[in-house]
Amino acid sequence: MIYMDRPFKVGDWIRSPDKEIEGTVEHIGWRLTRIRTFDKRPLYVPNSTFASIAVENPSRMTNRRIYETIGVRYDDAARVPVIVAEIKSMLTAHSAIDTQQTMIVNLNHFGASSIDILVYTFTKTTDWVEFHAIKEDVLVNIMSIIEAQGAEIAFPTSTLHLASMPEIEGPAG
């Protein structure tokens, strides 16, 4: 009997950045592994393929990451330090955020039409559906913090500066 050390087992969600392989492992056979893709198609992968590709196993992750850039209007620049501090405070107090993991909330970039704040943190859950509910709650809280400071989330804008033109005198008539 040939023993193959696999980075996955039946029931795991796997994906490969090398190939278009992503889904839940349903069956591991001698020759093929059957994966159910997220659009519910069966995908049959020869086991030899796994010897030559990288395989990620998100099923074994310990946390899920929230990684967002929040743009605030340039008109609200003076309010950014308070907004950043309040977002950090909200995340630290949030029961679904793992405060033992890396947490970053900082002014990160002066964008074309916004002052960008990086929000980088991890949830305690790995469940995909629960993660999205937590992420929604965090984003709604961030919107509330920005609004409470009298600031606004930026949207792409352009400023047009018109130069003064000297008046041209027309023909005397």
Side-chain angles (χ1 to χ4, degrees), residues 33-50:
T33 296
R34 185 178 67 235
I35 299 167
R36 183 68 59 177
T37 64
F38 291 128
D39 62 357
K40 303 301 181 191
R41 293 176 295 123
L43 178 63
Y44 300 92
V45 181
N47 289 335
S48 61
T49 301
F50 294 111

Side-chain angles (χ1 to χ4, degrees), residues 76 79-80 82-83 86 143-152:
D76 301 319
R79 297 176 176 104
V80 168
V82 174
I83 291 169
E86 288 191 13
M143 285 190 307
S144 296
I145 289 167
I146 292 169
E147 290 172 3
Q149 288 302 313
E152 293 180 27

Side-chain angles (χ1 to χ4, degrees), residues 8 12-25 35 38 50 53-59 61 64:
F8 55 84
D12 282 354
W13 159 28
I14 65 168
R15 69 175 164 218
S16 174
D18 302 338
K19 300 279 186 183
E20 291 186 25
I21 298 171
E22 183 170 18
T24 303
V25 177
I35 299 167
F38 291 128
F50 294 111
I53 64 170
V55 177
E56 295 177 2
N57 189 338
S59 297
M61 71 175 81
R64 283 195 181 266

Side-chain angles (χ1 to χ4, degrees), residues 6-147:
R6 290 191 195 275
F8 55 84
K9 64 185 183 331
V10 171
D12 282 354
W13 159 28
I14 65 168
R15 69 175 164 218
S16 174
D18 302 338
K19 300 279 186 183
E20 291 186 25
I21 298 171
E22 183 170 18
T24 303
V25 177
E26 286 190 334
H27 175 76
I28 301 171
W30 281 101
R31 194 176 79 75
L32 294 170
T33 296
R34 185 178 67 235
I35 299 167
R36 183 68 59 177
T37 64
F38 291 128
D39 62 357
K40 303 301 181 191
R41 293 176 295 123
L43 178 63
Y44 300 92
V45 181
N47 289 335
S48 61
T49 301
F50 294 111
S52 62
I53 64 170
V55 177
E56 295 177 2
N57 189 338
S59 297
R60 296 185 188 170
M61 71 175 81
T62 57
N63 302 83
R64 283 195 181 266
R65 178 180 68 173
I66 296 174
Y67 181 22
E68 293 291 327
T69 300
I70 311 295
V72 177
R73 298 177 318 152
Y74 276 97
D75 289 347
D76 301 319
R79 297 176 176 104
V80 168
V82 174
I83 291 169
V84 166
E86 288 191 13
I87 293 171
K88 280 182 189 175
S89 178
M90 178 271 297
L91 290 172
T92 301
H94 200 293
S95 63
I97 298 299
D98 188 346
T99 57
Q100 301 303 309
Q101 300 298 321
T102 302
M103 180 187 296
I104 303 169
V105 181
N106 290 103
L107 181 127
N108 188 51
H109 184 255
F110 293 111
S113 57
S114 64
I115 298 172
D116 295 335
I117 299 169
L118 171 66
V119 177
Y120 185 96
T121 191
F122 290 87
T123 64
K124 291 178 181 176
T125 187
T126 60
D127 180 81
W128 194 66
V129 174
E130 185 180 353
F131 163 75
H132 281 284
I134 294 165
K135 183 177 175 182
E136 176 184 21
D137 184 58
V138 165
L139 293 175
V140 167
N141 284 334
I142 291 171
M143 285 190 307
S144 296
I145 289 167
I146 292 169
E147 290 172 3

